[in-house]
Amino acid sequence: MKSIKILLSFALFISALYGFGQDVKLSSYQFGEGLRLTTNEGHEVKITSYLQPYFESKQYTEADLNAANRFRMRRARFRLDGETANKRFSYRFQFDLTGNGEFEEQQGLYLLDAVINYELTNRITVSFGQRATYTDNRELFMLSNTLQLVERSRLTSAFASIREFGLFVNGNFRTGRGSYLRPYFVLTNGDGGNVFNGDFGGLKVGGRVDYLPFGLFTNLGQFRQADVMRELTPKLVIGANFSHNNGISSRRGRESGAILYLNDNNDFSLPDYTKFGIDFLFKYKGFSALGEFVKATATVPDDITQRIRNDGSIATTFPVNGIDDVENYVKGRMMLGEGFNLQMGYLFKSGFSLDARYTHLNADEHSFLNNPTFYSRPNYYTFGVSQYLARNYGAKIQADITYVDGDNINDNNSNPIEGNEWIARIMLTFSL
């Protein structure tokens, strides 16, 4: 029902756009880059979309279990970007008809981006609304239809909040000899995307600083993974990010109200969540390399005495290894620890790409990263091949295989198993 409403909204928007006058025209179209509509007054709308049908098969190295196979439409996204005639105001509206979100706990997340931008100066832009946050690792800057491998890294699924609602400020300053400095500031609700009901805890504040010593990437290449443009000179961006979520109500700031605690006065008392990271992206003549490091910590308030169960009932016990331990019980339900992701690949002139990735997660002693069903897997080794069917990201076929080094893991039904995992994935991407 939600997807139907979104489609109707999309149709009404296009109808309204043409209803404003007879001067709307198609100014450009490039396969994979979308449609660009303009008016004689200078208003502009860009329409992009893409589909990603997907297959996944999971095997266990030593357990006598049938393969866990899954077919699904991974993404079916539509995006509108518009600018006013004076170019100071712009907006973005993006939704996904599958409702899959980026990860499993985001089911039903149809609305992705709804943000208004204002160019305060030629170098500073202020945005308000819901969008991807600047305080996540660099991979979250990359559009989903431009990824080198079928899925994002496990570092992203472990620590990223992905989308948030709030105020975003970004700058773009030339610093001499062709280099650029790009600072970002973020002030959000810290509860993730689509918070239409309760808003728990305080605000989340953070930022990022990126430095590009060799100038800007070609055709937004800083925000796309494979080096489709085959940079003629080396391009590099290095950055650092930091965020502090004052009162978090989920594992990492992605699900508002998922995990709640109370004090003796029955007031909400929630832990703080702090995260920082460093990362880089390098591209040159078809070669690309991405590196990321993230660390997350938590501070638990002293006055927590109650917890709210999933069914809404109240409990006053916080069991950890047979004893009551409020601090470590709370930390055990959060994504705490550190990890890094390294990946690289080469895109041949024929459109064939070879890519590899290694991801390592190091969980704190008390962290949800130790959960045997979803995590407790410190090492991920991925090798992938892709065939780009266009000169950009318009169409491609991707396949990869991942070996997962586990540590006392469970299967998808929470049953303990022996050995490790193999995961094979295939995905087709077709963009407007």
Side-chain angles (χ1 to χ4, degrees):
M1 189 63 181
K2 289 183 179 179
S3 60
I4 294 176
K5 290 180 179 178
I6 291 175
L7 273 177
L8 289 173
S9 300
F10 174 74
L12 288 171
F13 177 86
I14 298 300
S15 299
L17 181 65
Y18 279 93
F20 284 130
Q22 301 300 316
D23 61 349
V24 178
K25 61 183 179 181
L26 176 64
S27 63
S28 67
Y29 171 67
Q30 181 181 0
F31 179 55
E33 298 292 339
L35 300 164
R36 193 177 295 275
L37 305 173
T38 59
T39 69
N40 291 340
E41 291 79 15
H43 302 289
E44 184 176 298
V45 173
K46 182 180 179 182
I47 303 174
T48 55
S49 68
Y50 59 92
L51 302 173
Q52 292 183 319
Y54 169 98
F55 168 73
E56 176 185 287
S57 180
K58 181 182 292 186
Q59 299 274 2
Y60 301 100
T61 58
E62 298 181 26
D64 186 18
L65 296 173
N66 294 326
N69 297 325
R70 177 167 60 168
F71 295 86
R72 64 170 175 163
M73 182 62 70
R74 182 65 181 90
R75 301 176 183 92
R77 295 188 176 177
F78 289 85
R79 173 171 159 174
L80 300 172
D81 292 271
E83 289 184 344
T84 58
N86 66 11
K87 307 304 180 184
R88 289 289 187 186
F89 280 100
S90 62
Y91 65 87
R92 178 186 302 163
F93 176 58
Q94 183 178 197
F95 56 87
D96 190 333
L97 291 174
T98 67
N100 287 329
E102 287 295 334
F103 301 104
E104 293 297 332
E105 65 268 36
Q106 293 183 304
Q107 297 303 306
L109 187 64
Y110 294 94
L111 177 63
L112 301 179
D113 298 326
V115 63
I116 297 174
N117 313 303
Y118 177 69
E119 288 191 9
L120 194 62
T121 70
N122 291 334
R123 297 182 179 87
I124 300 174
T125 300
V126 179
S127 306
F128 184 71
Q130 179 173 298
R131 57 154 297 152
T133 180
Y134 301 128
T135 56
D136 280 335
N137 52 301
R138 185 164 300 280
E139 191 181 40
L140 263 296
F141 278 55
M142 315 296 184
L143 297 175
S144 299
N145 62 328
T146 72
L147 301 180
Q148 284 180 300
L149 296 156
V150 175
E151 284 288 12
R152 297 186 188 273
S153 74
R154 203 57 170 160
L155 182 76
T156 295
S157 65
F159 295 109
S161 55
I162 305 178
R163 283 179 168 82
E164 297 177 338
F165 188 94
L167 179 70
F168 306 84
V169 182
N170 65 281
N172 186 31
F173 302 94
R174 190 162 184 166
T175 51
R177 297 185 178 180
S179 64
Y180 283 81
L181 186 68
R182 287 181 162 175
Y184 302 85
F185 172 77
V186 174
L187 181 65
T188 69
N189 59 357
D191 284 332
N194 293 359
V195 182
F196 299 127
N197 298 314
D199 184 7
F200 300 93
L203 296 175
K204 176 180 177 179
V205 62
R208 162 182 283 274
V209 176
D210 282 347
Y211 179 61
L212 294 85
F214 310 132
L216 302 180
F217 289 70
T218 304
N219 193 26
L220 301 176
Q222 180 183 342
F223 309 102
R224 301 173 175 186
Q225 281 196 355
D227 186 19
V228 168
M229 302 308 298
R230 302 188 65 83
E231 298 284 358
L232 296 178
T233 59
K235 299 297 181 182
L236 172 69
V237 56
I238 54 177
N241 61 84
F242 173 86
S243 64
H244 178 78
N245 196 331
N246 182 25
I248 193 172
S249 62
S250 60
R251 302 196 193 284
R252 61 178 82 65
R254 196 183 289 174
E255 301 171 90
S256 176
I259 303 175
L260 297 172
Y261 304 98
L262 305 171
N263 58 26
D264 283 335
N265 298 323
N266 291 325
D267 296 324
F268 290 114
S269 182
L270 302 174
D272 295 341
Y273 189 70
T274 302
K275 183 174 67 176
F276 68 87
I278 55 175
D279 45 50
F280 74 88
L281 174 68
F282 175 81
K283 291 185 176 183
Y284 182 53
K285 291 186 176 180
F287 174 79
S288 59
L290 172 69
E292 307 165 293
F293 170 82
V294 176
K295 183 174 180 61
T297 62
T299 302
V300 180
D302 296 331
D303 63 343
I304 292 178
T305 57
Q306 305 170 76
R307 56 185 172 93
I308 300 179
R309 297 190 180 100
N310 291 336
D311 61 4
S313 61
I314 303 295
T316 57
T317 58
F318 297 82
V320 177
N321 298 325
I323 63 172
D324 259 7
D325 188 338
V326 173
E327 179 176 357
N328 289 328
Y329 179 91
V330 172
K331 288 183 174 181
R333 302 176 75 188
M334 303 174 68
M335 307 301 281
L336 303 177
E338 61 188 32
F340 65 84
N341 176 57
L342 293 173
Q343 67 184 64
M344 62 184 63
Y346 184 77
L347 178 60
F348 295 86
K349 292 182 179 180
S350 64
F352 181 74
S353 177
L354 293 174
D355 305 283
R357 177 170 69 201
Y358 171 59
T359 305
H360 175 72
L361 300 178
N362 183 22
D364 285 356
E365 179 182 0
H366 299 282
S367 168
F368 194 76
L369 283 173
N370 296 310
N371 182 280
T373 300
F374 302 103
Y375 291 95
S376 193
R377 294 156 171 83
N379 298 300
Y380 300 79
Y381 308 86
T382 302
F383 176 77
V385 294
S386 301
Q387 180 64 55
Y388 291 74
L389 306 177
R391 293 179 179 269
N392 54 15
Y393 301 96
K396 59 180 176 176
I397 299 174
Q398 295 177 283
D400 65 37
I401 186 166
T402 300
Y403 177 73
V404 184
D405 179 14
D407 183 14
N408 299 318
I409 63 176
N410 294 346
D411 63 15
N412 290 342
N413 298 315
S414 300
N415 300 311
I417 62 170
E418 298 292 332
N420 298 315
E421 296 174 335
W422 285 99
I423 304 174
R425 300 183 176 101
I426 300 174
M427 187 168 69
L428 170 66
T429 297
F430 185 87
S431 303
L432 177 68

